[in-house]
Amino acid sequence: MNILSVGRDFIATTFRLSTPIIFAALGGVISERSGVVNIGLEGMMLLGAFGATVGTYYTHNPFIGLLTGALAGGLAAALHALLSIHFKADQIVSGVAINMLALGATNYLLLLLFQTAGNSPAVLTIPWKIFAASALILPFVLHYFLYRTPVGLRIRAVGEHPKAADTAGINVFFVRYCCVIISGILAGIGGAYLSISLLNRFTRDMSAGTGFIALAAVIFGKWTPIGALGAGLFFGLAYALQFILPGILPHGMKIPPEFFNSLPYLLTMIVLVGAIGKAIPPASDGIPYDPKESR
Amino acid sequence: MGSDKQQSILVELKNITKRFGALTANDRVNLSIEKGEIHALVGENGAGKTTLMNVLYGLYQPDFGKIYLNGTEVRITNPKTAISLGIGMVHQHFMLIPPLTVAENIVLGEEPGNFLAFNRSKAISEVQKISEKHGLNVDPTALVSTLSVGSEQRVEILKLLYRSASILIFDEPTAVLTPQETKDLFRIFNSLKKEGKTIVFISHKLKEVMEISDRITVMRQGKAVGVLQKEKTNEAEIARLMVGRDVLFVPDQEVVPKGDIVLEVQNLQAVNDRGLPALQEVSFSVKSGEILGIAGVAGNGQTELAEVLTGLRSAQNGRIFLKGQDVTHDSPGEKIKLGIAHVLGIAHVPEDRHKRGLILDFPVSYNLILGSQGKDPFSRNLLLDSQAIQKFAKEKIAEFDIRPGDENLPARYLSGGNQQKVVIAREFSRDPSFLVISQPTRGVDVGGIEFIHHQILSMKKRGKAILLISLELDEILNLSDRIAVLYNGKIVKILNRTAATEEELGLLMAGILEYSSPKKS
Ligand SMILES: Nc1ncnc2c1ncn2[C@@H]1O[C@H](COP(=O)(O)OP(=O)(O)OP(=O)(O)O)[C@@H](O)[C@H]1O
Ligand SMILES: [Mg+2]
């Protein structure tokens, strides 16, 4: 094995593993910028992965599968929006509920549709490079959207000080609903990538914490799209290391594989401790808006 | 003339009623505003002024009642509708977004450009144009988080002008302004009036109301109880209508025998949040039974002085003695407790009741025992005794006339004046030996001011040493025994109240009279 091919492998693996994190993290950024914490990213990804598999399975068209995956994520997000915006439920509780619901629902549907508790049948796929390229471009599009368009300005205003936005004639609820649903669609696409691109089938609990890593990437990226891109790449790199490192260790050196498996999570913790002091979330992130509160 | 009047009525509120649960904040209120006038809306804390204006601005929907604009009925279901009808409002708490720029804040909701591109340079030039036209000086590219209160207010006004509002509502705009800033604001009011705009102005400062308004509507306990013509009324009459009885503007000062020195400060030095010197060579002492007033224009070290004395900010140099004991480096908790026999240490009425005085989401009862929560009778065997807490809260609510008298209501839902009473009730019942009282009547109505002043004087009668920090010169002059003028972090002079004149104080506060080394007393 020469160093060049290892290097190329490493870079490709990094991009492949970063892509779902970046999609979900962009979703997190959009939602939290508008003031709604979306801890349900994980569940929305899982539903996206499942929706994409089902869509592809029945239509034999993975691009329709991509749409159904996005739709599944969007629907779960609409539920989160309804609970946390309309009914002012605790956003953490609502998000956790969505994660559990997604796990239960996909397991059940897997049994119902495919008579299996493990893997769905194989489906057609979309080349991973299409997703990866989008994941590299989309952050810049979102950046432009947030910082250079009137709608982006309104989103940021709503996340910082919803009452001020309200008094300026902006419909706070509408903006938040849209952002949360877009967030779910992005997470759903990230999930679809897992099942109809990285793999060619749905497997039980296949998001496996990617949504939570994406949540960390939102914070590490300081609630900005380009920051999320950087953080997503960083975490992708940490994942890639666990596959590459064991192969290039000098002979005779023994490190337990568990160490490599825990590397991404270890790095996450270290990075977050370093980043948290400096990162300032949108001022009203996580707080339901009630126009009748006196302040 | 009668029919003429009829035609010039621009806004008419009829029978507006707004309830919050069992509480009726507006009770069949009628209000008519003529085109081109400055109409003052006055009333006690909690009388329903803000609620009424929120109804007009579409933030609240009335339970019943109607709104007429130019004689036709309008339904204002949200602020967007209000804006499109030409109504604009500067809220009691500013509605600005700190991390955005001045221009972004102003154009928000009606941004120049199209859906795909926000035209930033047009936003900046538009703001520039309006601000020049009205003499409202602000930098459109500055971040709002870097602005002073006065500039923030100019941004709020620009927001209305950008939307070409013709009816401008100001909810207590002068509560946080310095006298100079207030003067500037009134200059702007007058020039807006000349352009034909109509202004609704809410204030507790009757002097200002008499100075700037044409007509005055008085509210009491949710009802509009009278409309007065400025020329035909005076402060005393307005106050009587507001409170329902005569109000004493100047409290009776009793001569109280002074005792020993309670607090002594030597050569105090401290820096502000930005690390710049805020206090220099500050020395003074306060005796038992004495009120030392600190006069000065905002931002001359008042905030830092209160914080250093109460242990919220550390002194760089100098010493603080409480009853002869060096407490310079004690924490706030230690300063409260500082027990010499039964005598407690320091009580603090902070200048910003939302930031430092209250936990807004806690009920009134808990707010009344903050700082004493670990003590008998509120805590027994490591548990809070809710019966004792409720009992104490009920007593204090009665004693300080806190309205509404519900000890379980979160402090957030009290009006500003009643929130202030909660803070004062708590701090005064600690039975401290020394009190730092900052801006005790900011945003408080005349009746409340009278009450709070009375409480402060009764603390003095009980032999407490009091440091009173206020931006209101009248308040300082009415309550203090001696007055220290703070300018640029230094005490320029300490005078006896009887020897002080408003003119001299004004000059000292402006830094025009010479710095004379403070004498110890
Ligand atoms: N959102 C709300 N929920 C419950 N009660 C409220 C709410 N807003 C106001 N109130 C109550 O309605 C009454 C009127 O309040 P409002 O704020 O209109 O008074 P105000 O005249 O503006 O007083 P201040 O001079 O202190 O600003 C008060 O008793 C207040 O506690
Ligand atoms: Mg008010």
Side-chain angles (χ1 to χ4, degrees):
Chain A
M1 211 175 4
N2 71 42
I3 204 90
L4 212 74
S5 82
V6 170
R8 210 161 348 127
D9 249 28
F10 179 56
I11 292 173
T13 310
T14 297
F15 279 123
R16 279 159 66 151
L17 298 176
S18 301
T19 298
I21 304 176
I22 295 170
F23 271 108
L26 290 177
V29 167
I30 263 276
S31 168
E32 300 211 5
R33 271 295 170 168
S34 80
V36 182
V37 171
N38 190 353
I39 229 175
L41 286 175
E42 171 79 9
M44 294 172 197
M45 281 187 95
L46 191 62
L47 286 167
F50 189 79
T53 310
V54 173
T56 312
Y57 180 80
Y58 286 109
T59 64
H60 304 290
N61 183 339
F63 290 96
I64 293 181
L66 176 61
L67 283 183
T68 51
L71 188 73
L75 278 177
L79 177 65
H80 180 52
L82 186 73
L83 292 176
S84 59
I85 301 170
H86 195 87
F87 293 108
K88 302 179 179 57
D90 188 294
Q91 297 173 8
I92 304 293
V93 174
S94 161
V96 168
I98 284 188
N99 288 338
M100 298 200 300
L101 190 75
L103 193 60
T106 50
N107 286 347
Y108 172 70
L109 289 172
L110 203 55
L111 215 60
L112 193 74
L113 297 179
F114 304 118
Q115 290 78 44
T116 165
N119 301 342
S120 78
V123 292
L124 296 171
T125 60
I126 297 174
W128 72 270
K129 283 182 179 157
I130 294 183
F131 279 95
S134 322
L136 291 180
I137 297 166
L138 199 57
F140 294 93
V141 176
L142 262 182
H143 176 89
Y144 179 87
F145 174 66
L146 270 180
Y147 294 98
R148 291 280 180 269
T149 68
V151 180
L153 179 68
R154 292 178 188 191
I155 292 172
R156 286 184 291 138
V158 165
E160 283 294 332
H161 194 336
K163 185 142 194 187
D166 190 1
T167 58
I170 292 168
N171 189 334
V172 174
F173 284 8
F174 179 71
V175 169
R176 287 191 167 177
Y177 262 99
C178 291
C179 287
V180 173
I181 289 173
I182 291 172
S183 149
I185 289 174
L186 285 169
I189 294 175
Y193 166 79
L194 296 176
S195 65
I196 60 169
S197 184
L198 193 64
L199 277 184
N200 60 350
R201 52 167 47 94
F202 180 83
T203 68
R204 188 190 164 95
D205 191 19
M206 84 181 305
S207 50
T210 315
F212 292 119
I213 296 283
L215 219 51
V218 173
I219 300 170
F220 184 32
K222 306 203 164 142
W223 289 270
T224 63
I226 295 183
L229 170 65
L233 286 172
F234 174 83
F235 288 129
L237 186 132
Y239 272 121
L241 276 180
Q242 68 176 315
F243 297 115
I244 302 290
L245 272 186
I248 57 169
L249 277 185
H251 286 294
M253 197 170 156
K254 274 225 150 105
I255 295 180
E258 287 81 5
F259 173 76
F260 296 110
N261 295 342
S262 61
L263 208 59
Y265 306 101
L266 260 170
L267 282 175
T268 309
M269 275 154 86
I270 293 168
V271 153
L272 284 185
V273 167
I276 241 159
K278 289 158 260 160
I280 305 168
S284 297
D285 199 10
I287 307 167
Y289 177 54
D290 182 352
K292 288 202 179 56
E293 298 282 281
S294 41
R295 253 164 74 92
Chain B
M1 190 69 205
S3 66
D4 244 25
K5 256 239 165 87
Q6 210 58 38
Q7 272 166 8
S8 67
I9 286 180
L10 181 58
V11 183
E12 185 146 37
L13 302 182
K14 271 197 181 151
N15 277 321
I16 298 291
T17 298
K18 176 71 191 169
R19 295 197 187 91
F20 295 110
L23 185 132
T24 306
N26 287 159
D27 187 2
R28 284 163 291 161
V29 177
N30 293 315
L31 173 70
S32 61
I33 299 160
E34 287 170 25
K35 183 162 171 32
E37 74 169 338
I38 298 181
H39 193 113
L41 192 57
V42 300
E44 289 183 286
N45 292 122
K49 307 177 293 292
T50 299
T51 305
L52 188 66
M53 289 302 110
N54 281 341
V55 166
L56 179 55
Y57 193 61
L59 275 169
Y60 292 162
Q61 297 311 304
D63 294 313
F64 59 85
K66 293 194 167 119
I67 303 175
Y68 296 87
L69 201 68
N70 282 319
T72 43
E73 190 186 339
V74 287
R75 278 182 50 79
I76 305 176
T77 48
N78 54 39
K80 205 179 165 78
T81 316
I83 293 168
S84 69
L85 291 171
I87 303 171
M89 178 159 173
V90 174
H91 297 263
Q92 196 163 358
H93 304 286
F94 291 158
M95 294 295 165
L96 296 174
I97 300 158
L100 301 186
T101 66
V102 167
E104 285 171 335
N105 266 280
I106 290 170
V107 302
L108 182 67
E110 286 181 23
E111 304 84 355
N114 55 38
F115 181 78
L116 279 181
F118 168 49
N119 192 338
R120 188 164 305 211
S121 52
K122 181 145 184 244
I124 292 170
S125 64
E126 290 263 305
V127 169
Q128 198 96 51
K129 213 168 70 197
I130 309 172
S131 77
E132 267 160 29
K133 183 176 163 209
H134 293 91
L136 292 156
N137 192 13
V138 278
D139 172 9
T141 59
L143 290 180
V144 163
S145 56
T146 63
L147 299 184
S148 69
V149 183
S151 312
E152 283 184 344
Q153 185 155 59
R154 287 197 286 276
V155 177
E156 285 283 17
I157 299 173
L158 285 169
K159 259 164 86 175
L160 308 194
L161 297 174
Y162 176 77
R163 278 147 229 261
S164 32
S166 54
I167 303 160
L168 294 84
I169 306 166
F170 289 84
D171 195 351
E172 293 192 40
T174 59
V176 290
L177 295 188
T178 64
Q180 186 52 49
E181 286 169 328
T182 302
K183 238 182 236 161
D184 286 344
L185 180 70
F186 286 175
R187 183 184 53 73
I188 295 163
F189 274 14
N190 279 322
S191 82
L192 290 173
K193 184 176 154 182
K194 268 205 204 94
E195 287 173 37
K197 308 230 185 242
T198 306
I199 294 174
V200 181
F201 166 63
I202 300 179
S203 177
H204 288 297
K205 301 181 185 173
L206 300 183
K207 239 187 208 168
E208 295 175 352
V209 169
M210 289 302 291
E211 181 185 337
I212 193 74
S213 54
D214 300 309
R215 290 195 311 149
I216 301 143
T217 293
V218 182
M219 290 187 71
R220 183 163 83 226
Q221 290 175 12
K223 297 195 174 77
V225 291
V227 185
L228 304 164
Q229 213 74 36
K230 197 256 297 278
E231 296 82 28
K232 292 181 199 147
T233 186
N234 53 49
E235 287 179 46
E237 186 187 13
I238 303 173
R240 194 180 320 120
L241 261 177
M242 279 169 63
V243 187
R245 61 174 168 79
D246 283 318
V247 177
L248 254 78
F249 285 98
V250 181
D252 293 326
Q253 271 272 27
E254 272 177 73
V255 183
V256 178
K258 291 194 189 113
D260 301 333
I261 288 181
V262 174
L263 182 94
E264 176 148 26
V265 171
Q266 292 175 356
N267 234 333
L268 209 57
Q269 197 172 319
V271 292
N272 62 17
D273 289 337
R274 276 174 282 165
L276 304 171
L279 293 174
Q280 294 169 53
E281 306 167 39
V282 169
S283 303
F284 60 83
S285 62
V286 192
K287 289 187 180 131
S288 131
E290 182 185 48
I291 297 178
L292 176 65
I294 302 282
V297 176
N300 275 289
Q302 291 95 329
T303 308
E304 289 81 4
L305 178 59
E307 287 177 353
V308 169
L309 290 178
T310 51
L312 292 165
R313 180 181 295 272
S314 53
Q316 296 220 302
N317 215 333
R319 309 229 275 162
I320 305 166
F321 295 97
L322 189 62
K323 299 210 151 181
Q325 201 174 327
D326 189 335
V327 296
T328 316
H329 301 294
D330 285 4
S331 72
E334 285 166 334
K335 281 183 180 163
I336 292 176
K337 277 182 229 144
L338 208 100
I340 309 166
H342 309 291
V343 189
L344 288 162
I346 296 179
H348 180 206
V349 177
E351 60 177 4
D352 184 340
R353 55 183 165 255
H354 286 160
K355 209 163 110 195
R356 291 247 156 101
L358 295 165
I359 299 180
L360 289 171
D361 288 317
F362 274 18
V364 169
S365 57
Y366 281 19
N367 273 294
L368 281 167
I369 61 151
L370 281 181
S372 313
Q373 70 277 12
K375 285 210 209 80
D376 203 45
F378 307 129
S379 158
R380 255 185 263 146
N381 312 324
L382 295 175
L383 293 176
L384 287 175
D385 182 339
S386 57
Q387 263 177 6
I389 295 172
Q390 300 268 333
K391 182 165 166 277
F392 176 79
K394 285 204 176 93
E395 280 167 25
K396 289 297 155 190
I397 285 171
E399 187 184 339
F400 285 82
D401 188 24
I402 296 165
R403 276 180 269 174
D406 176 1
E407 69 275 10
N408 296 318
L409 195 70
R412 179 182 297 283
Y413 295 118
L414 263 52
S415 67
N418 283 297
Q419 288 177 343
Q420 186 70 358
K421 284 187 191 169
V422 172
V423 177
I424 288 187
R426 175 183 71 220
E427 295 300 319
F428 284 17
S429 34
R430 275 198 221 297
D431 203 25
S433 51
F434 173 62
L435 293 98
V436 180
I437 304 177
S438 289
Q439 316 298 349
T441 57
R442 183 178 273 181
V444 175
D445 64 51
V446 279
I449 293 175
E450 186 192 26
F451 180 83
I452 288 169
H453 284 176
H454 181 77
Q455 292 293 329
I456 294 174
L457 289 174
S458 82
M459 285 308 268
K460 165 178 142 174
K461 232 183 336 191
R462 282 161 57 191
K464 312 295 180 194
I466 296 172
L467 188 77
L468 173 70
I469 303 176
S470 176
L471 300 178
E472 304 288 336
L473 204 47
D474 286 345
E475 187 161 74
I476 296 278
L477 279 164
N478 286 343
L479 296 176
S480 318
D481 297 294
R482 287 181 306 140
I483 300 168
V485 180
L486 203 55
Y487 176 73
N488 244 338
K490 289 183 181 158
I491 291 191
V492 249
K493 196 167 183 184
I494 301 183
L495 334 84
N496 275 321
R497 197 242 337 229
T498 43
T501 63
E502 217 164 305
E503 289 70 41
E504 187 186 6
L505 286 174
L507 292 173
L508 285 165
M509 283 160 61
I512 294 167
L513 274 187
E514 290 272 303
Y515 171 76
S516 59
S517 192
K519 318 178 279 267
K520 288 231 191 97
S521 48

